Amino acid sequence: MKKKNLLALLSLTAVVTATTATALAFTAPGGGVYGSKHDINAYAKIYNGVPSAISGDEQERTCAFCHTPHHAFDPAANNADYLPLWSHDLTEKNYTPYISDTLQAAIGDPLIGPSRLCMSCHDGVVAIDTHYRKSTDTLNPAQLTGDIFSDSDAEHGAVGAGDSLIGDHPIGFNYLDAMNADKAAGNKLAQGIRDISTPFNGNPAGVTIKDTLHLGTTMTCATCHDVHNKDNVASKTGSALDNTGGTETGFNYFVYAPQQRSQLCTTCHNK
């Protein structure tokens, strides 16, 4: 009898361990938003890599942390040009954009298009689980802090910590302006920025630069990152240039090209 009880206990332990391991594994790159690190409902329950007491959405929704089919935010009332059925609190920060003599294009609003939506989680201020009535609901308030995706605290780890984007890759500029300026400069600069028809290196879906530019022209956060985890790719060590073979790394930055050999960078920059 004791032996049967021991076997039952060991079997139960194995099931719990397997379930926990499954719960801690986020969806792989290209596997969709559900179960990925952008599934805030799942992320809330696996806070900092371990199961937590933080509750997710009361209806177990994934999309609801950013979108709503009804009563979405009004773009005009929120000084935003791009709010696709949006339900998440928006960042109120005004950023100093990237500055460099090597950028041959003007930056107007650095948060134009989807970048404002990205910074509404990655500004280090707005709670990432703020959605629907969470921002003002005293009974069911948002429970997560801003940008906990970084290993550092929000103020120092968030991409949008502080009020400056000077140290970050420029966004909010017209890619075509930069490309044409390089061509007009002649000499080696004529090939510095690749044409918008160029596909991302190592991307099996054939996603091109133009596909990811806002309105087909403007560089934003979404030019490099696929927020919904659909057309992005995994990075692998020891793989071929086409990202075949090799061992997949544990990093998922939601980017359209592999990290190794800087294939993401060299998609746009002819180096």
Side-chain angles (χ1 to χ4, degrees), residues 45 64 157 186 208 218-219 250:
K45 298 175 183 179
T208 67
T218 305
M219 182 89 181

Side-chain angles (χ1 to χ4, degrees), residues 154-205:
E155 179 59 27
H156 298 92
V159 173
D163 299 309
S164 176
L165 295 177
I166 290 178
D168 298 284
H169 189 286
I171 53 176
F173 68 92
N174 189 305
Y175 184 95
L176 297 178
D177 288 348
M179 181 185 72
N180 291 330
D182 268 2
K183 288 182 178 180
N187 298 323
K188 293 182 179 180
L189 282 178
Q191 299 178 359
I193 302 296
R194 298 188 193 275
D195 189 82
I196 60 174
S197 63
T198 303
F200 279 86
N201 293 322
N203 187 291

Side-chain angles (χ1 to χ4, degrees), residues 19-263:
T19 301
T20 302
T22 301
L24 293 178
F26 290 105
T27 305
V33 67
Y34 175 72
S36 75
K37 284 193 174 182
H38 277 160
D39 179 354
I40 305 304
N41 187 54
Y43 197 89
K45 298 175 183 179
I46 312 174
Y47 186 72
N48 281 345
V50 296
S52 72
I54 297 174
S55 63
D57 180 71
E58 58 266 29
Q59 297 182 55
E60 296 290 329
R61 294 170 294 189
T62 295
C63 303
F65 285 89
C66 293
H67 305 287
T68 176
H70 307 288
H71 310 298
F73 286 5
D74 178 5
N78 288 276
N79 191 31
D81 65 316
Y82 181 76
L83 291 179
L85 293 176
W86 199 249
S87 68
H88 186 93
D89 282 6
L90 294 165
T91 184
E92 296 181 355
K93 284 190 174 183
N94 294 309
Y95 289 101
T96 301
Y98 176 85
I99 301 174
S100 173
D101 291 338
T102 61
L103 177 61
Q104 301 185 77
I107 297 177
D109 176 8
L111 299 189
I112 190 172
S115 295
R116 178 166 282 101
L117 312 185
C118 298
M119 285 303 182
S120 294
C121 276
H122 293 285
D123 67 347
V125 176
V126 179
I128 64 173
D129 61 338
T130 298
H131 68 298
Y132 286 133
R133 55 193 176 87
K134 287 285 186 181
S135 59
T136 57
D137 186 359
T138 57
L139 294 177
N140 297 288
Q143 301 169 79
L144 301 178
T145 57
D147 193 0
I148 57 170
F149 298 100
S150 172
D151 290 333
S152 304
D153 60 273
E155 179 59 27
H156 298 92
V159 173
D163 299 309
S164 176
L165 295 177
I166 290 178
D168 298 284
H169 189 286
I171 53 176
F173 68 92
N174 189 305
Y175 184 95
L176 297 178
D177 288 348
M179 181 185 72
N180 291 330
D182 268 2
K183 288 182 178 180
N187 298 323
K188 293 182 179 180
L189 282 178
Q191 299 178 359
I193 302 296
R194 298 188 193 275
D195 189 82
I196 60 174
S197 63
T198 303
F200 279 86
N201 293 322
N203 187 291
V207 177
T208 67
I209 297 172
K210 182 178 180 180
D211 291 335
T212 65
L213 294 172
H214 180 52
L215 301 180
T217 60
T218 305
M219 182 89 181
T220 69
C221 299
T223 302
C224 295
H225 301 276
D226 180 6
V227 65
H228 294 124
N229 199 44
K230 288 295 293 181
D231 292 317
N232 52 314
V233 299
S235 287
K236 298 179 181 180
T237 57
S239 64
L241 284 175
D242 61 358
N243 208 35
T244 58
T247 302
E248 187 172 318
T249 67
F251 300 103
N252 182 9
Y253 297 120
F254 298 93
V255 290
Y256 287 104
Q259 294 283 358
Q260 74 272 30
R261 292 180 293 280
S262 298
Q263 293 179 78

